[in-house]
């Protein structure tokens, strides 16, 4: 659906096949982030190669179609959100304590 | 890409050029990437009575390899070496619950990670503010 490329990085939003659950139909949306790099070096008497590939798949949403209704269910990684929020609190606290420490001197 | 004479390797039981071996291994990476479909993230629906549950996870994986070969010369013997590694990580994120009347997302929270992160944040804040309080106390002390 959506593909963005930046050097070895690739960002994709892909839509999966429709799931038929009888009472409703669902279409999943997934974010795919990948990093691919391969390198071959040919010298006078030697040859060498190296390659790295990393792929991260994260569900984004599920499009639910029920008779008469159609809605998008967002899927969030709550654990990551909480950890990021705690990290943000740590950074803000660091800045505030820095300012307070300078004023105290 | 030219094939260097004498630089041979064994891949799938066949003797082939090292360059070709490297290229084949790199092609395997691409195949792995193409298999990265939504099916890895959304599990198979499980039905219990009227309720259907779909498990959802975040998945990440990586592979890396290095390979090298040197032809023998008059001064030194030829050598070759290769190494590689891979890793997979999967974490549950949520469960979709489908009933005849409603469809809801039930988030899955990893409390162990959250508690550890919370304790580390608290320790960090306590350390920072202890320094500030110490400076405040020192600044109010008579010289």
């Amino acid at each position: 659906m959506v593909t963005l490329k930046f050097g070895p990085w690739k960002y994709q939003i892909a839509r999966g096949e429709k799931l038929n659950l009888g009472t409703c139909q669902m279409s999943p949306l997934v974010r795919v982030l990948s990093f691919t790099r391969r390198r071959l070096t040919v010298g006078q008497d030697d040859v060498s190669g190296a390659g790295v590939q990393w792929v991260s798949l994260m569900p984004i949403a599920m499009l639910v179609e029920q008779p008469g209704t159609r809605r998008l269910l967002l899927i969030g990684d709550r654990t990551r959100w909480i950890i990021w929020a705690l990290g943000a609190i740590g950074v803000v606290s660091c800045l505030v304590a820095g300012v307070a420490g300078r004023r105290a001197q | 890409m030219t094939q260097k004479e004498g630089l041979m390797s064994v891949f799938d039981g066949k003797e082939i050029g090292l360059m070709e071996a490297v290229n084949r291994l790199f092609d395997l990476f691409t195949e792995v990437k193409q298999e990265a479909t939504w099916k890895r993230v959304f599990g198979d629906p499980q039905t219990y009575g009227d309720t259907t549950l779909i498990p959802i996870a975040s998945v990440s994986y990586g592979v890396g390899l290095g390979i090298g070969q040197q032809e023998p010369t008059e001064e030194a013997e030829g050598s070759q070496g290769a190494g590689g590694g891979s890793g997979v990580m999967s974490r549950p994120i949520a469960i979709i619950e489908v009933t005849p009347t409603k469809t809801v997302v039930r988030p899955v929270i990893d409390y162990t990670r959250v508690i550890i992160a919370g304790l580390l944040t608290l320790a960090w804040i306590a350390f920072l503010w202890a320094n500030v309080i110490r400076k405040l106390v020192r600044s109010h002390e008579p010289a």
Side-chain angles (χ1 to χ4, degrees):
Chain A
M1 279 175 75
V2 179
T3 306
L4 296 170
K5 269 187 169 183
F6 183 74
W9 294 95
K10 193 173 171 187
Y11 182 91
Q12 245 180 322
I13 292 177
R15 191 172 171 175
E17 289 167 31
K18 262 190 184 176
L19 288 169
N20 198 345
L21 298 176
T23 54
C24 67
Q25 284 192 325
M26 292 184 171
S27 301
L29 280 176
V30 180
R31 184 273 280 148
V32 185
L33 181 66
S34 66
F35 175 90
T36 312
R37 180 155 267 185
R38 58 167 74 177
R39 196 173 180 176
L40 282 167
T41 313
V42 183
Q44 187 69 32
D45 302 313
D46 62 296
V47 59
S48 63
V52 178
Q53 172 133 49
W54 173 80
V55 181
S56 166
L57 298 154
M58 178 68 84
I60 295 176
M62 188 72 110
L63 183 67
V64 183
E65 289 172 73
Q66 277 174 309
T69 58
R70 192 178 186 207
R71 64 201 181 100
L72 196 68
L73 282 178
L74 294 175
I75 301 159
D77 185 350
R78 297 281 171 92
T79 307
R80 192 167 285 185
W81 290 359
I82 294 167
I83 289 171
W84 274 100
L86 287 169
I89 290 168
V91 170
V92 170
S93 179
C94 194
L95 294 170
V96 174
V99 172
R102 280 195 172 193
R103 285 192 182 172
Q105 275 180 336
Chain B
M1 212 168 283
T2 55
Q3 173 67 56
K4 282 177 78 79
E5 232 178 274
L7 297 174
M8 303 301 285
S9 187
V10 177
F11 190 89
D12 262 355
K14 292 175 198 162
E15 199 174 79
I16 55 171
L18 184 69
M19 295 286 280
E20 200 184 331
V22 169
N23 275 330
R24 282 194 193 180
L25 286 167
F26 286 160
D27 290 342
L28 280 177
F29 287 161
T30 314
E31 279 172 33
V32 166
K33 195 176 162 191
Q34 280 165 355
E35 283 170 19
T37 62
W38 62 276
K39 282 183 182 172
R40 288 176 186 242
V41 172
F42 291 89
D44 291 329
Q46 310 283 325
T47 306
Y48 303 96
D50 282 350
T51 309
T52 303
L53 302 174
I54 303 170
I56 304 165
S58 87
V59 180
S60 55
Y61 55 89
V63 286
L65 78 93
I67 189 166
Q69 191 170 1
Q70 188 160 24
E71 269 191 296
T73 57
E74 286 176 6
E75 296 93 44
E77 283 182 20
S79 60
Q80 60 180 356
S86 64
V88 180
M89 199 182 83
S90 180
R91 274 189 316 113
I93 285 187
I95 292 169
I96 294 182
E97 188 184 316
V98 184
T99 61
T101 53
K102 61 177 182 173
T103 304
V104 286
V105 177
R106 305 250 181 241
V108 174
I109 299 172
D110 184 348
Y111 285 104
T112 310
R113 289 181 76 181
V114 168
I115 290 168
I116 289 170
L119 288 173
L120 285 171
T121 310
L122 273 177
W124 176 241
I125 291 169
F127 168 74
L128 286 173
W129 286 97
N131 277 340
V132 173
I133 290 164
R134 205 168 55 208
K135 279 179 187 170
L136 270 171
V137 170
R138 273 189 199 158
S139 67
H140 285 88
E141 275 176 2

